[in-house]
């Protein structure tokens, strides 16, 4: 089954299933590159616009919240996808493990992206970093530092909010705890965190900030860039008020460092436009694109020397955990199992 693309302007909606979308352009036409993106349009379109302006290469994009890797598997050699953009090391490794990616040899990518944020065979590439931090009430939390380990301390009983324990962002964090302390200690920690929850895990990262603002809990766990998006949200200005009620604490900042994850990319195994795909990937790692990621998305650039935005800088300096993403990816399955073993998503026992 072959699919073409109708052009970026016509396929922007988030959707889980879009297998039957009819496309009018050939995926093998010159001067274009086809992108499958798990990342939302407002995060990616400014970067693609800048790429087209610089190179003249048109981009066609399918956005979806899930199912893109499965779609690439189903499409096989007829897939029109050139580049997959996603978040989370688990999804990057998932694309590799399902054999829908191919290694890319590029001196530009090697120069721009440190080795610890690339697959060992250059089969995936990180583009930005985000840290999984603690959102803390400015009114009800006096301390200005914290550790992940401390989240299981009974002093936080009934005071913590978090999203679904099986969400990839949390699974990666829990995997990092396994890496540092071993399975038994990680399970005990996770059970302690569960008992400290104010409610069953629910909502997204923004919902945790809203819950703190509403007084439902005192601290939450979420990714850094959501705070930037909330503090500058003109369409939903109430989010500014939510965000102003909390402060960011970087866990383990004075020790081993805060857990970080990546957004990233792979070149599709059957990319019909591999040269253009490579140009797009190199562009996204360039100083210009990395600055856009920093200024528009409030993420941490992976390219050395590119500064974070002033807003992100105001939160303090990020000291990233030195754990390799490969190690975290290998422990994700066990971390997911621990979530179920302790009944994390059932919330506190009393």
């Amino acid at each position: 089954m072959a699919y073409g693309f109708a052009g970026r302007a016509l396929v922007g909606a988030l959707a889980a299933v879009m297998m039957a979308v009819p496309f009018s352009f050939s995926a093998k036409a010159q001067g274009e590159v086809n992108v499958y993106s798990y990342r939302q349009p407002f995060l990616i379109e400014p970067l693609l616009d800048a790429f087209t302006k610089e190179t003249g290469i048109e981009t066609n994009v399918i956005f979806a919240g899930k199912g893109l890797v499965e779609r690439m598997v189903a499409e096989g050699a007829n897939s029109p996808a050139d580049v997959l953009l996603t978040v989370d090391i688990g999804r990057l490794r998932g694309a590799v493990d399902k054999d829908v990616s191919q290694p890319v040899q590029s001196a530009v990518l090697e120069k721009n992206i440190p080795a610890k944020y690339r697959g060992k065979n250059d089969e995936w590439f990180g583009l930005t970093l985000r840290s999984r931090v603690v959102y803390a009430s400015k009114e009800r939390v006096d301390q200005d530092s914290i550790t992940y380990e401390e989240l299981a301390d009974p002093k936080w009983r009934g005071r913590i909010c978090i999203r679904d324990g099986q969400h990839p962002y949390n699974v990666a964090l829990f995997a990092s705890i396994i890496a540092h302390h071993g399975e038994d200690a990680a399970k005990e920690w996770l059970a302690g965190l569960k008992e400290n929850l104010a409610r069953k895990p629910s909502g997204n990262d923004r919902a945790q900030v809203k819950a703190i603002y509403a007084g439902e809990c005192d601290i939450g766990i979420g990714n850094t860039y959501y705070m930037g998006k909330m503090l500058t949200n003109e369409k939903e200005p109430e989010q500014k008020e939510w965000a102003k009620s909390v402060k960011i604490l970087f866990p383990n900042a004075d020790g081993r460092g805060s857990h970080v994850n990546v957004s990233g990319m792979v070149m599709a195994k059957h990319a019909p436009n591999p040269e253009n795909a490579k140009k797009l990937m190199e562009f996204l790692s360039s100083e210009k694109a990395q600055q856009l990621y920093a200024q528009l998305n409030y993420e941490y650039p992976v390219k050395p020397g590119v500064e974070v935005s002033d807003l992100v800088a105001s939160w303090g300096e990020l000291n990233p955990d030195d754990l390799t993403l490969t190690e975290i990816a290998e422990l994700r399955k066990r971390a997911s199992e621990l979530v179920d073993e302790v009944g994390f998503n059932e919330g506190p026992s009393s």
Side-chain angles (χ1 to χ4, degrees):
M1 185 183 300
Y3 298 91
F5 282 75
R8 180 148 58 92
L10 300 181
V11 288
L14 282 166
V17 180
M18 294 176 288
M19 300 294 286
V21 174
F23 299 115
S24 59
F25 295 165
S26 166
K28 295 185 178 180
Q30 297 298 314
E32 63 182 13
V33 59
N34 303 323
V35 179
Y36 281 11
S37 176
Y38 283 113
R39 304 213 68 188
Q40 299 180 56
F42 74 95
L43 294 172
I44 296 304
E45 287 177 335
L47 292 147
L48 299 181
D49 288 341
F51 171 70
T52 298
K53 183 177 181 180
E54 180 167 305
T55 65
I57 298 171
E58 297 292 334
T59 61
N60 310 308
V61 191
I62 286 178
F63 294 102
K66 57 184 179 180
L68 290 176
V69 169
E70 291 74 14
R71 175 173 176 159
M72 294 169 74
V73 171
E75 292 170 337
N78 291 321
S79 176
D82 290 305
V83 175
L84 173 70
L85 299 177
T86 187
V87 295
D88 185 61
I89 182 57
R91 279 182 167 168
L92 287 169
R93 279 292 302 269
V96 175
D97 293 344
K98 289 185 181 298
D99 197 27
V100 298
S101 68
Q102 63 174 298
V104 179
Q105 305 305 315
S106 163
V108 174
L109 292 175
E110 290 183 9
K111 177 182 178 181
N112 291 344
I113 303 175
K116 61 182 177 180
Y117 301 130
R118 293 187 264 120
K120 62 181 180 180
N121 297 316
D122 287 337
E123 69 274 32
W124 61 262
F125 299 86
L127 286 169
T128 61
L129 300 178
R130 63 280 303 279
S131 183
R132 197 121 187 96
V133 295
V134 167
Y135 306 143
S137 168
K138 291 178 179 177
E139 291 186 353
R140 301 185 298 278
V141 177
D142 293 332
Q143 63 192 71
D144 292 320
S145 63
I146 201 167
T147 65
Y148 293 113
E149 290 78 5
E150 186 183 334
L151 296 175
D153 190 305
K155 75 177 183 179
W156 296 112
R157 188 63 49 89
R159 301 176 66 188
I160 300 178
C161 288
I162 192 170
R163 71 193 304 168
D164 191 310
Q166 292 291 3
H167 190 279
Y169 298 159
N170 282 336
V171 170
L173 170 62
F174 301 158
S176 77
I177 300 296
I178 296 175
H180 281 294
H181 299 291
E183 284 188 22
D184 291 343
K187 186 174 181 178
E188 182 179 356
W189 173 83
L190 195 59
L193 174 59
K194 172 197 169 188
E195 292 305 317
N196 286 343
L197 297 181
R199 61 184 187 187
K200 289 184 178 180
S202 63
N204 55 24
D205 283 5
R206 296 182 199 228
Q208 315 315 316
V209 179
K210 182 181 180 182
I212 296 170
Y213 173 77
E216 298 174 20
C217 49
D218 294 335
I219 62 175
I221 298 172
N223 285 348
T224 40
Y225 64 92
Y226 283 109
M227 287 297 291
K229 289 297 184 185
M230 297 178 73
L231 286 166
T232 59
N233 194 328
E234 298 298 338
K235 292 184 178 179
E236 299 178 72
E238 66 273 17
Q239 292 192 9
K240 293 183 181 180
E241 298 306 311
W242 306 347
K244 288 177 182 176
S245 73
V246 309
K247 56 187 175 184
I248 288 180
L249 304 182
F250 290 93
N252 304 79
D254 295 329
R256 58 177 165 81
S258 303
H259 168 67
V260 294
N261 206 324
V262 290
S263 72
M265 61 187 175
V266 303
M267 183 184 289
K269 181 177 181 179
H270 303 292
N273 305 290
E275 291 305 315
N276 287 346
K278 186 175 179 179
K279 289 177 181 176
L280 174 60
M281 296 173 75
E282 290 176 342
F283 175 81
L284 293 176
S285 74
S286 70
E287 183 159 346
K288 176 184 289 186
Q290 291 284 296
Q291 287 177 342
L292 287 173
Y293 275 120
Q295 298 299 325
L296 299 178
N297 294 352
Y298 307 105
E299 297 176 282
Y300 293 88
V302 294
K303 187 178 189 301
V306 179
E307 299 293 332
V308 298
S309 72
D310 290 342
L311 178 57
V312 172
S314 72
W315 300 335
E317 187 173 355
L318 170 65
N319 172 24
D321 192 330
D322 282 336
L323 277 177
T324 67
L325 293 170
T326 298
E327 185 174 4
I328 290 174
E330 290 173 350
L331 292 169
R332 290 181 78 262
K333 181 176 183 296
R334 186 59 189 137
S336 175
E337 291 170 349
L338 290 184
V339 170
D340 290 338
E341 288 177 16
V342 304
F344 189 81
N345 284 341
E346 298 170 9
S349 57
S350 62

